Amino acid sequence: MATEGVEAVFLETHNWGKAARFFQSLGYELEFETGHNSGQLRNGDGPYVFIAEVPEDREPGMRPVLKVPDEDAFRPGPDVEMVTPFEDTHFGTRMATVRDPDGRLWSLQAPAKS
């Protein structure tokens, strides 16, 4: 089984409030704020944007998140380098990391196991 498209974009920032207002000015609506300088925004039915504030001494990154509907049925091809296996997240899903041929990291997000 393959992925089912882009689920989200994970974005790091030095200023959660400014980043959230930027996306709200582009038509995104705040779905929830975590209370620790992060939160999720969405525009329509498309992928969501999750923004997390990082310390000033860390360069903010961005990572696309691809949807995997069934972790157990997911079979990466020979050209996919698995960096980390699927692991439970603190927000109720399971995530893995893969690296593309140019060295970029991509997250794979699957539903939590029952």
Side-chain angles (χ1 to χ4, degrees):
M1 173 177 280
T3 63
E4 290 188 340
V6 176
E7 175 86 352
V9 173
F10 177 76
L11 181 69
E12 294 175 326
T13 182
H14 288 145
N15 188 310
W16 151 249
K18 282 184 177 181
R21 287 190 301 276
F22 169 80
F23 279 95
Q24 288 172 314
S25 294
L26 293 173
Y28 283 74
E29 293 184 17
L30 182 65
E31 287 191 327
F32 66 85
E33 187 172 348
T34 65
H36 55 274
N37 296 325
S38 63
Q40 182 170 301
L41 298 101
R42 188 180 304 266
N43 187 340
D45 293 331
Y48 63 86
V49 175
F50 189 90
I51 303 170
E53 190 171 291
V54 296
E56 288 291 329
D57 63 348
R58 181 169 152 188
E59 184 174 343
M62 182 172 70
R63 186 181 297 184
V65 180
L66 302 177
K67 182 179 183 178
V68 174
D70 183 353
E71 164 192 347
D72 294 327
F74 177 71
R75 301 288 180 260
D79 297 321
V80 176
E81 177 190 350
M82 292 294 297
V83 177
T84 62
F86 282 95
E87 299 173 335
D88 291 332
T89 66
H90 68 279
F91 46 88
T93 65
R94 296 199 26 98
M95 293 190 85
T97 304
V98 296
R99 186 182 331 271
D100 74 18
D102 293 307
R104 289 179 292 261
L105 297 177
W106 296 69
S107 293
L108 305 177
Q109 182 169 275
K113 289 191 173 193
S114 305

